[in-house]
Amino acid sequence: MRIPPREPDFVRRVEELSGEDVFACYQCGKCSAGCPFTSGMDLLPAAVLRLLQLGDERVLESRSPWVCASCLACEVRCPKGVDIAKVMEALRLLVLRKGETGLRLKEVPPGVPQIALVGATRKLTP
Ligand code: SF4
Ligand code: SF4
């Protein structure tokens, strides 16, 4: 079995973009327990951190960074001060920069509230 290097390139990019040390997390789970949006996530916030620590690229396919509302409930609970919202944002940026997804304005139905459009633009453009 191949053991991945401690810090693969995509993990280093996440740390650069977020300014956070994903290896600071010691998996206490307080972030996951306090996150109000876990029902829409396929990976709990702590699991996102764990996959990054393991260098597991499946984290890039997770729905969780897109569900994260940057509410910061996790950060205030984290005993290690990890700002998971920034980590989630960095993961979104990595995916968006690959050009595989993003906001297509022509596909937005009419009548979408302006605030939702602004929020989506912020979240879904690299
Ligand atoms: S910032 Fe994101 S991950 Fe953290 S508690 Fe809020 S929704 Fe959950
Ligand atoms: S609260 Fe902080 S240390 Fe605990 S699992 Fe979440 S990110 Fe890791």
Side-chain angles (χ1 to χ4, degrees):
M1 186 176 81
R2 188 178 73 85
I3 299 174
R6 182 179 182 273
E7 199 164 359
D9 195 49
F10 86 96
V11 178
R12 192 174 49 75
R13 289 290 295 137
V14 167
E15 291 189 313
E16 282 173 1
L17 288 166
S18 67
E20 297 298 305
D21 176 7
V22 301
F23 294 94
C25 167
Y26 60 7
Q27 290 291 295
C28 68
K30 287 189 174 182
C31 52
S32 301
C35 175
F37 293 97
T38 53
S39 62
M41 295 181 174
D42 53 355
L43 287 174
L44 295 175
V48 169
L49 268 295
R50 189 62 184 139
L51 286 194
L52 283 167
Q53 291 173 341
L54 293 170
D56 191 329
E57 292 194 43
R58 284 178 296 181
V59 73
L60 296 171
E61 295 159 17
S62 170
R63 195 168 61 237
S64 299
W66 305 94
V67 172
C68 171
S70 303
C71 71
L72 305 183
C74 49
E75 187 199 359
V76 298
R77 296 171 67 99
C78 177
K80 299 300 296 288
V82 180
D83 188 337
I84 301 176
K86 285 187 179 167
V87 173
M88 296 290 202
E89 184 175 25
L91 284 165
R92 291 197 299 270
L93 278 175
L94 279 190
V95 174
L96 286 169
R97 287 177 183 178
K98 283 202 286 182
E100 292 168 6
T101 184
L103 182 65
R104 294 175 185 86
L105 286 173
K106 286 183 181 168
E107 295 174 15
V108 175
V112 172
Q114 194 173 8
I115 188 69
L117 200 54
V118 171
T121 305
R122 187 184 151 274
K123 200 171 193 177
L124 299 173
T125 50

